[in-house]
């Protein structure tokens, strides 16, 4: 017993139980929720005590101790109680508790009193806690109110002051509970985040510097060490009280490695040569009796239907195998060269300078027949093409470590599943065989031995599936990042502007499919394998009101593709006619490909990256096309499917080249379909390397020539970025090239006139001065004509798409509606095409011929505007091209308004002008004799009169020199057209005959 003077104060109330969230903060609830929970619990207990059953929790009795004890079982001495208390488990949770339900009326008086007392104490604590929380949450506590009353009484009575003994017993009010709880929660959250940050930092150091993993130390490691050192050693019978004999109950399971040490194993007794021989024998037995031998036996004598995707090479004298996949690349880094030099010095030449996209090394650690493969290393490599960026998507140490663990886990699970299935099959087969033998013995028949072939695991195939899926995902992410960079760069275009639709690309980023309800996990009608991810790049505008161009897979042009290995550099899946409208595997929510062509890339397990392009279907097979298409198709596939040459820019450029060729063919086919009613017989259209060649048979007025091949006038090239048609001209007809751009330097007369007009406007206060010759300048008329041709060809190209099959929105009417829309665009295109052909004949063929015949450069805008001749009703609405024949200065006397007479000088010139007559029947060059006058150097030439050249008498065309060497024709060209310079010779003969030269 303690003395009265040393009596300890009663213990304070126990602390409130606290709980934390995942991020370390305190789990908090509103005060009303706490109060309602306490009162509801009180009312529920009161109801159960009166009307329902109550839960009674008691400690299970120790029957052994009870049976061994003597005397009355209900009575026990104080010594027995003390021994029972000391021998009780230190942790209350370790005691065996039992719970039962009973009514209060069925209990004894002592039991009813115990249950009632326990519940009163429990709810008293809850009510006390609610009172404390409520008081702390009030703006003014009871103690602060008493303190204020004391201050008021002290101010009224000088005898009482705040420093008196009464006031000394009143303390300052404690801080509010809410602020305290928030500060505590923030502190706990900060500690938890610091703990996690420390773990992440140490893990990052480990993956960056592998050797630091051994020296890492966590907060819980220190806690475990303290737990072990501070726990007494219960096995110490000497009574020395030694510390450090405890245990760590929260010991991490991943630290306890269940690996037999090599020093006590039986392999320790083997010699090095015997050890190597046994290891090589175990590996070979694993291969022959495993999946490699089973594939060989199953495919023997028949066509190979399944094969191992790995290439297997023995290394380290047969002590390990090296699995490779894909085409290798040669590296010449300093580290690789150093390793190879060291290997040569050690007479070990297995170190080479080749790296594979997928590479793994395996071995076997036991001679047991059921021994599993041990994955030694696993590497997945991919890189962009030189000059491209990988956008920081290269694998880091942690990703390599996680991939290694997943691959090894897949192999272990495969072998475990097959082993369990074989054991179950073996037991079932044994039981069935015994029953059949008994039945056969009863029937007197001979017993037949029945054996079932065991299920052979395929861990190498599972390793390939995991590694290949990861490799495809990494490559697709890199290509998606490159495409997004192109969209923000030169391939972007103006965003949000309707008129520039198709000028830039749109990117559908990589979508990865996980659940079974995703689009990618559903095969289409052609039974094509479902992808695990897909991305797309959309370019060029196309009219898809009644249907969109079908997206089909691009088939490699190599003939040996079917017999080659299924690696990342080939596509073996073809397209079929049963594809749905959304045949690019993109989610329905992605509408970026609306009214556009698409380049789709999908990652298919065990196949690779499959490339699909709009218009690549059975009707547009790449393997049956020209060398130009085959080369770009191979370039497209290699830029995407070669893991070491990933380049989205090259792939997009190759795709646009293929689509340009397809669009040109579709436009030419649409124009030729209406040949009987619209196409003039003198026009010939050809497609060559993504451009449309416009050629024509030119005839000359009053000059007969033999029938010749059509002459190339100009070309309409399809722009790779926008898909629009742009006119291009041969470099020898520089006049037409500059006129199509409305270059002011092409026409000196127009240039001087524009300068004079600008000076007049500035002198008159920027007032508009109307000039007749400004609206009829040759440069503006030629530019407008070719712009109109480009617009009409663009409209026709969008409606024709890229040819091939279409995903019809209405099977019955879509095709007819599309053909009707195409015919409307064809009518507008032919009118512009006839006009531009006549312009090209005048400023191309005739321009060069005039320079050759006269020896001077032809002059533009010199003949006084457009000529309207009744005899030649179909003249092109462009001023003719002319050369001066004679010039003189004429003086005229002009009477002014004030009566004075002045003498003015004018320049009169006689010109030889050439124009063209273009209609649906012929393209004919005609010539005129024009008399022109100019009042000043800056004035617009005025035509006084003109006359058509009469029929030539006694003039016939002379035969060209057949001995002159002809221009070498391209070996890959199958064009039926002749060069423009060949037609210039005939035009020169005609001009010489007209001028009498």
């Amino acid at each position: 017993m303690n003395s009265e003077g040393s009596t300890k104060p009663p213990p304070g109330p126990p602390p409130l139980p606290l709980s934390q969230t995942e991020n370390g903060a305190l789990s908090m609830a509103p005060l009303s929720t706490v109060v309602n929970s306490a009162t509801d619990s009180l009312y529920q207990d009161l109801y159960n005590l009166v009307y329902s059953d109550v839960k009674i929790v008691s400690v299970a009795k120790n029957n052994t101790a009870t049976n061994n004890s003597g005397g009355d079982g209900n009575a026990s001495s104080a010594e027995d109680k003390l021994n029972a208390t000391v021998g009780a488990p230190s942790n209350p949770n370790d005691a065996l508790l039992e719970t039962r339900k009973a009514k209060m009326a069925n209990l004894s008086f002592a039991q009813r009193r115990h249950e009632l007392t326990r519940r009163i104490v429990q709810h008293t604590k809850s009510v006390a806690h609610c009172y404390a929380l409520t008081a702390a949450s009030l703006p003014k506590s009871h103690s602060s109110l008493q303190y204020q009353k004391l201050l008021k009484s002290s101010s009224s009575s000088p005898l009482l002051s705040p420093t008196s003994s009464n006031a000394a017993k009143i303390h300052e009010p404690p801080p509010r509970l809410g602020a305290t709880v928030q500060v505590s929660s923030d502190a706990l959250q900060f500690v938890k985040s610091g703990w996690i940050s420390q773990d992440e930092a140490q893990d990052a150091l480990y993956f960056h510097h592998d050797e630091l993993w051994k020296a890492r130390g966590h907060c819980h490691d220190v806690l475990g060490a303290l737990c072990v050192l501070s726990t007494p050693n219960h096995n110490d019978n000497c009574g020395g009280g030694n510390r450090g004999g405890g245990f760590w109950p929260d010991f991490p399971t991943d630290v306890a490695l269940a690996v037999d040490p090599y020093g006590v194993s039986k392999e320790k007794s083997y010699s090095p040569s015997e050890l190597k021989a046994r290891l090589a024998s175990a590996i070979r037995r694993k291969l022959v009796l495993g999946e490699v031998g089973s594939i060989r036996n199953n495919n023997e004598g028949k066509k190979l239907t399944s094969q191992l995707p790995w290439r297997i090479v023995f290394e380290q004298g047969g002590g390990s195998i090296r699995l490779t996949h894909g085409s290798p690349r040669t590296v010449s880094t300093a580290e690789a060269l150093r390793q190879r030099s060291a290997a040569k010095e050690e007479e070990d030449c297995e170190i080479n300078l080749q790296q594979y996209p997928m590479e793994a090394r395996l071995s076997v650690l036991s001679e047991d027949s059921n021994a599993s493969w041990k994955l030694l290393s696993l590497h997945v490599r991919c890189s962009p093409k030189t000059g491209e960026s990988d956008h920081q998507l290269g694998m880091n140490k942690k990703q390599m470590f996680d991939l290694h663990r997943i691959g090894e886990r897949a192999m272990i699970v495969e072998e475990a599943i097959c082993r369990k299935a074989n054991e179950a099959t073996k037991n079932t087969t044994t039981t069935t065989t015994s029953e059949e033998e008994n039945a056969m013995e009863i029937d007197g028949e001979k017993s037949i031995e029945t054996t079932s072939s065991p299920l052979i695991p395929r861990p190498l195939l599972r390793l390939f599936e995991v590694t290949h899926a990861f490799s495809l995902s990494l490559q697709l992410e890199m290509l998606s990042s490159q495409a997004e960079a192109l969209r923000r760069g030169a391939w972007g275009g103006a965003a949000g502007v309707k008129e520039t639709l198709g000028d830039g690309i749109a990117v559908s980023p990589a979508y990865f499919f996980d659940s079974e309800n995703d689009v990618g996990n559903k095969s289409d009608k052609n039974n094509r394998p479902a992808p695990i991810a897909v991305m797309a790049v959309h370019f060029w505008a196309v009219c898809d009101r009644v249907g969109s161009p079908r997206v089909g897979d691009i088939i490699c042009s190599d003939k040996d593709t079917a017999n080659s290995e299924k690696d990342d550099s080939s596509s073996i899946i073809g397209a079929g006619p049963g594809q749905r409208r959304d045949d690019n595997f993109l989610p329905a929510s992605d509408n970026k490909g609306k009214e556009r062509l698409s380049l789709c890339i999908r990652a298919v397990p065990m196949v690779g990256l499959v490339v699909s392009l709009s218009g690549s279907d059975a009707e547009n097979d790449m393997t049956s096309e020209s060398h130009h298409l085959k080369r770009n198709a191979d370039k497209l596939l290699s830029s995407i499917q070669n893991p070491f040459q990933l380049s989205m820019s090259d792939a997009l450029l190759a795709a646009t080249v293929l689509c340009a060729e397809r669009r040109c063919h579709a436009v030419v086919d649409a124009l030729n379909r209406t040949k009987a009613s619209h196409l003039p017989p003198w026009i010939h259209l050809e497609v060559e390397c993504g451009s449309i060649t416009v050629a024509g048979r030119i005839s000359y007025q009053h000059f007969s020539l033999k029938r010749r091949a059509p002459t190339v006038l100009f070309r309409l090239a399809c722009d790779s970025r926008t898909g629009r048609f742009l006119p291009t001209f041969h470099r020898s007809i520089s006049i037409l090239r500059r006129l199509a751009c409305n270059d002011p330097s092409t026409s000196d007369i127009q240039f001087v006139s524009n300068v004079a007009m600008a000076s007049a406007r500035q002198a008159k206060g920027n007032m508009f001065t109307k000039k007749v010759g400004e609206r009829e300048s040759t440069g503006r008329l030629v530019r407008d004509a070719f712009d109109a041709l480009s617009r009409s060809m663009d409209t026709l190209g969008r409606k024709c798409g890229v040819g091939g099959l279409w995903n019809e929105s209405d099977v019955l009417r879509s095709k007819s509606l599309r053909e009707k829309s195409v015919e409307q665009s064809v009518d507008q295109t032919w009118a512009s095409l006839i006009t531009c052909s006549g312009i090209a004949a005048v400023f191309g063929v005739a321009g060069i011929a005039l320079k050759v015949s006269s020896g001077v450069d032809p002059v533009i805008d010199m003949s006084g505007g457009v000529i309207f001749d009744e005899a030649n009703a179909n003249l092109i609405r462009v001023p003719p091209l002319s050369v001066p024949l004679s010039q003189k200065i004429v003086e005229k006397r002009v009477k002014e308004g004030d009566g004075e007479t002045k003498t003015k000088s004018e320049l009169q010139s006689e010109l030889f002008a050439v124009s063209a007559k273009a209609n649906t029947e012929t393209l004919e060059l005609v010539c005129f004799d024009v008399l022109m006058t100019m009042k000043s150097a800056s004035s617009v030439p005025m035509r006084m009169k003109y006359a058509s050249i009469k029929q030539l008498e006694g003039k016939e065309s002379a035969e060209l020199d057949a001995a002159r060497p002809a221009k070498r024709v391209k070996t890959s060209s199958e064009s039926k057209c002749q060069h423009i310079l060949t037609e210039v010779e005939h035009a020169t003969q005609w001009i010489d005959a007209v001028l009498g030269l």
Side-chain angles (χ1 to χ4, degrees):
M1 296 295 294
N2 297 329
S3 60
E4 296 180 359
S6 61
T7 302
K8 295 182 179 180
L16 295 176
L18 302 178
S19 59
Q20 293 179 272
T21 59
E22 294 181 357
N23 59 357
L26 289 175
S27 298
M28 293 178 288
L31 180 59
S32 59
T33 303
V34 177
V35 175
N36 291 335
S37 299
T39 53
D40 291 344
S41 177
L42 175 60
Y43 294 149
Q44 184 65 33
D45 274 349
L46 293 177
Y47 177 84
N48 293 336
L49 290 174
V50 177
Y51 299 102
S52 181
D53 297 339
V54 295
K55 291 184 179 181
I56 301 175
V57 180
S58 60
V59 180
K61 297 182 179 180
N62 192 347
N63 297 330
T64 305
T66 305
N67 296 334
N68 295 336
S69 60
D72 191 3
N74 295 330
S76 59
S77 61
E79 185 178 359
D80 295 337
K81 293 182 179 181
L82 181 60
N83 294 333
T85 304
V86 174
S90 58
N91 191 353
N93 297 328
D94 295 340
L96 298 179
L97 303 178
E98 59 181 7
T99 304
R100 59 188 180 90
K101 290 186 177 181
K103 291 184 177 294
M104 289 290 290
N106 298 335
L107 300 179
S108 63
F109 177 78
Q111 290 177 339
R112 287 200 301 269
R113 182 176 180 181
H114 171 72
E115 293 296 332
L116 185 61
T117 304
R118 185 174 67 85
R119 282 167 172 76
I120 291 175
V121 172
Q122 177 183 356
H123 292 295
T124 301
K125 292 181 180 179
S126 299
V127 172
H129 290 166
C130 292
Y131 169 77
L133 294 175
T134 306
S137 299
L138 294 176
K140 296 296 182 64
S141 61
H142 177 72
S143 58
S144 62
L145 294 177
Q146 295 293 334
Y147 185 74
Q148 291 179 1
K149 290 181 181 180
L150 181 62
L151 291 178
K152 291 181 180 180
S153 59
S154 62
S155 59
S156 59
S157 175
L159 299 177
L160 298 176
S161 63
T163 58
S164 62
S165 60
N166 295 331
K169 297 180 181 179
I170 300 177
H171 303 284
E172 288 290 334
R176 297 187 58 186
L177 180 61
T180 305
V181 172
Q182 187 64 37
V183 172
S184 303
S185 177
D186 295 341
L188 292 175
Q189 187 174 0
F190 177 77
V191 172
K192 183 67 175 295
S193 62
W195 188 325
I196 297 175
S197 300
Q198 181 183 5
D199 288 350
E200 292 179 352
Q202 291 183 356
D203 291 343
L205 286 175
Y206 158 66
F207 289 116
H208 190 68
H209 303 285
D210 299 345
E211 296 298 329
L212 292 182
W213 175 261
K214 302 175 183 179
R216 66 196 301 250
H218 289 288
C219 298
H220 47 72
D221 296 341
V222 178
L223 179 61
L226 292 176
C227 182
V228 172
L229 294 176
S230 59
T231 305
N233 188 0
H234 296 286
N235 297 327
D236 188 10
N237 298 326
C238 299
N242 295 330
R243 296 286 179 175
F247 62 95
W248 187 4
D250 194 20
F251 186 75
T253 57
D254 57 348
V255 179
L257 300 178
V259 179
D260 296 334
Y262 177 73
V264 296
S265 63
K266 63 178 181 180
E267 287 83 3
K268 178 68 174 177
S269 60
Y270 298 154
S271 63
S273 59
E274 183 182 0
L275 186 62
K276 291 182 179 180
R278 286 177 175 271
L279 180 58
S281 176
I283 292 177
R284 292 180 181 274
R285 184 174 62 253
K286 181 72 174 177
L287 291 174
V288 174
L289 300 180
E291 54 186 311
V292 177
S294 64
I295 293 175
R296 179 70 177 179
N297 296 330
N298 294 335
N299 295 328
E300 187 175 4
K302 60 179 77 172
K303 187 177 179 180
L304 291 178
T305 56
S306 62
Q307 56 182 352
L308 191 65
W310 294 106
R311 285 190 291 268
I312 303 177
V313 179
F314 286 95
E315 287 187 342
Q316 303 295 333
S320 63
I321 60 173
R322 181 188 183 192
L323 307 179
T324 60
H325 178 78
S327 301
R329 68 173 176 179
T330 303
V331 293
S332 58
T333 59
E335 181 65 21
L337 293 174
R338 186 188 64 79
Q339 293 180 2
R340 187 169 188 178
S341 300
K344 288 183 178 180
E345 292 178 359
E346 297 176 1
E347 298 182 356
D348 186 3
C349 299
E350 294 184 359
I351 300 296
N352 52 32
L353 301 181
Q354 288 185 343
Q355 292 182 352
Y356 288 85
M358 295 166 50
E359 183 177 356
R361 286 178 171 82
L362 294 89
S363 184
V364 178
L365 301 183
S366 175
E367 294 182 293
D368 188 7
S369 59
N370 295 327
S372 59
W373 287 108
K374 178 62 178 178
L375 184 60
L376 304 179
S377 64
L378 182 61
H379 296 283
V380 174
R381 302 183 182 94
C382 66
S383 61
K385 188 179 179 180
T386 303
E388 301 284 347
S389 175
D390 61 350
H391 300 277
Q392 299 180 356
L393 293 176
M395 293 181 61
N396 53 29
K397 294 285 186 179
K398 190 176 187 305
Q399 290 175 336
M400 294 179 183
F401 180 71
D402 294 339
L403 178 62
H404 185 103
R405 292 195 302 175
I406 295 174
E408 189 172 15
R409 181 65 177 174
M411 297 170 62
I412 295 175
V413 170
E414 171 68 14
E415 294 192 354
I417 292 176
C418 293
R419 189 183 304 112
K420 185 176 181 181
N422 290 334
E423 292 177 357
T425 305
K426 183 178 180 180
N427 297 332
T428 305
T429 304
T430 303
T431 306
T432 306
T433 304
S434 301
E435 294 178 355
E436 292 178 354
E437 289 178 353
N438 296 332
M440 289 178 181
E441 289 178 358
I442 294 174
D443 296 340
E445 297 180 358
K446 185 178 181 181
S447 176
I448 301 175
E449 183 180 0
T450 59
T451 58
S452 60
S453 59
L455 185 62
I456 298 178
R458 306 195 64 180
L460 301 183
L461 183 61
R462 299 296 172 259
L463 177 63
F464 178 81
E465 292 176 352
V466 172
T467 311
H468 195 234
F470 181 83
S471 178
L472 295 181
S473 303
L474 183 60
Q475 295 174 40
L476 203 67
E477 282 283 358
M478 197 170 295
L479 291 172
S480 179
S481 300
Q482 290 181 359
E484 188 65 24
L486 292 176
R487 186 192 64 81
R488 295 192 298 264
W491 288 82
V497 183
K498 187 176 181 180
E499 290 75 13
T500 60
L501 179 62
D503 287 354
I505 63 174
V507 179
S508 296
Y511 292 95
F512 292 90
F513 308 108
D514 296 330
S515 62
E516 297 181 356
N517 297 327
D518 290 342
V519 178
N521 286 336
K522 298 180 181 179
S523 300
D524 60 357
K525 298 179 181 179
N526 300 316
N527 294 324
R528 293 186 297 175
I532 59 174
V534 65
M535 66 157 293
V537 179
H538 313 284
F539 57 95
W540 293 8
V542 66
C543 182
D544 59 354
R545 296 180 180 178
V546 294
S548 59
R550 180 162 296 177
V551 179
D553 297 344
I554 297 180
I555 303 175
C556 186
S557 61
D558 296 338
K559 297 181 181 180
D560 299 334
T561 301
N563 299 329
S564 62
E565 181 185 1
K566 300 178 183 179
D567 57 4
D568 297 340
S569 60
S570 64
S571 174
I572 63 172
I573 305 300
Q579 297 173 350
R580 59 184 185 274
R581 184 174 184 179
D582 183 19
D583 49 7
N584 49 17
F585 289 94
L586 290 175
S589 59
D590 190 331
N591 57 356
K592 296 180 181 179
K594 185 179 180 180
E595 298 184 1
R596 288 177 180 265
L597 301 179
S598 300
L599 170 64
C600 302
I601 307 171
R602 65 182 188 273
V604 182
M606 303 298 294
V607 175
L609 294 180
V610 181
V611 185
S612 304
L613 185 64
S614 298
S616 298
D617 47 37
E619 293 187 359
N620 291 337
D621 188 8
M622 299 293 179
T623 59
S624 61
E625 295 294 341
S626 61
H627 175 69
H628 172 68
L629 288 181
K630 293 179 182 179
R631 182 182 60 204
N632 283 279
D634 294 339
K635 180 181 179 182
L636 172 59
L637 293 177
S638 63
S639 300
I640 293 177
Q641 296 175 343
N642 189 353
F644 296 132
Q645 296 291 329
L646 298 177
S647 176
M648 198 64 209
S649 59
D650 290 352
L652 185 58
L653 186 59
T656 54
V657 171
L658 295 177
C659 290
E661 187 80 6
R662 296 299 183 196
R663 173 164 287 190
C664 292
H665 279 286
V667 170
V668 171
D669 292 342
L671 294 174
N672 289 331
R673 281 200 300 268
T674 58
K675 182 176 181 179
S677 58
H678 297 282
L679 180 62
W682 52 269
I683 287 185
H684 179 74
L685 301 178
E686 286 185 353
V687 178
E688 183 180 3
C689 296
S691 62
I692 300 177
T693 301
V694 181
R697 292 185 177 90
I698 303 175
S699 60
Y700 303 93
Q701 187 183 26
H702 311 308
F703 197 70
S704 61
L705 292 171
K706 294 182 179 180
R707 184 176 178 85
R708 306 171 312 280
T711 303
V712 178
L713 300 177
F714 61 92
R715 288 182 173 86
L716 292 170
C718 188
D719 185 21
S720 297
R721 193 177 70 88
T722 61
R724 297 180 177 179
F725 288 96
L726 303 175
T728 59
F729 310 96
H730 193 265
R731 58 178 178 270
S732 61
I733 49 178
S734 58
I735 296 178
L736 186 57
R737 295 170 62 187
R738 290 185 292 171
L739 285 176
C741 302
N742 195 14
D743 188 359
S745 62
T746 307
S747 176
D748 296 337
I749 297 175
Q750 187 65 30
F751 181 74
V752 175
S753 176
N754 292 338
V755 172
M757 186 166 46
S759 301
R761 287 179 179 177
Q762 187 176 4
K764 295 182 180 180
N766 293 330
M767 294 180 61
F768 179 75
T769 303
K770 189 174 182 180
K771 203 85 171 180
V772 178
E774 180 184 2
R775 295 179 300 164
E776 298 180 352
S777 63
T778 304
R780 176 171 297 183
L781 294 176
V782 172
R783 184 194 63 183
D784 293 344
F786 279 100
D787 287 348
L789 177 61
S790 298
R791 288 193 297 269
S792 60
M793 290 291 291
D794 293 341
T795 304
L796 181 59
R798 287 195 295 269
K799 293 181 179 180
C800 294
V802 288
L805 302 178
W806 291 72
N807 295 315
E808 309 290 357
S809 58
D810 189 349
V811 181
L812 300 178
R813 297 185 300 172
S814 294
K815 186 176 181 180
S816 59
L817 292 175
R818 186 183 302 106
E819 291 179 354
K820 184 178 180 180
S821 178
V822 169
E823 289 180 0
Q824 294 176 357
S825 300
V826 167
D827 295 338
Q828 302 174 0
T829 304
W830 276 125
S832 300
L833 196 59
I834 292 173
T835 302
C836 293
S837 299
I839 293 174
V842 173
F843 295 95
V845 177
I848 301 176
L850 285 174
K851 185 176 182 179
V852 173
S853 299
S854 63
V856 296
D857 293 333
V859 184
I860 302 173
D861 291 327
M862 192 69 178
S863 57
V866 181
I867 295 178
F868 298 93
D869 189 16
E870 296 180 356
N872 300 290
N874 295 321
L875 287 177
I876 58 176
R877 298 296 185 261
V878 177
L881 187 65
S882 59
V883 292
L885 298 179
S886 62
Q887 293 181 350
K888 62 180 179 179
I889 297 178
V890 179
E891 294 183 354
K892 293 183 179 180
R893 299 181 66 84
V894 181
K895 189 174 182 178
E896 301 291 339
D898 55 358
E900 297 183 359
T901 303
K902 293 184 179 181
T903 302
K904 293 185 177 181
S905 300
E906 295 181 356
L907 176 65
Q908 287 187 359
S909 301
E910 183 182 0
L911 306 176
F912 177 77
V914 179
S915 185
K917 182 172 61 174
N919 52 28
T920 57
E921 297 178 357
T922 181
L923 173 62
E924 186 180 27
L925 293 180
V926 296
C927 54
F928 299 92
D929 188 4
V930 180
L931 182 62
M932 180 273 305
T933 180
M934 291 182 64
K935 296 181 180 180
S936 63
S938 61
S939 62
V940 178
M942 302 297 295
R943 185 172 59 245
M944 299 178 63
K945 60 180 180 179
Y946 71 93
S948 177
I949 303 297
K950 296 180 179 181
Q951 184 176 0
L952 301 178
E953 297 180 358
K955 299 293 184 180
E956 296 180 358
S957 61
E959 293 294 337
L960 298 178
D961 187 8
R964 177 177 53 83
K967 184 179 179 181
R968 186 178 64 179
V969 182
K970 294 181 180 180
T971 56
S972 61
S973 176
E974 299 178 358
S975 177
K976 300 179 181 179
C977 305
Q978 64 177 355
H979 197 268
I980 190 172
L981 296 180
T982 305
E983 187 65 26
V984 167
E985 299 181 4
H986 299 286
T988 305
Q989 288 184 1
W990 171 64
I991 295 174
D992 291 344
V994 173
L995 297 178
L997 300 177

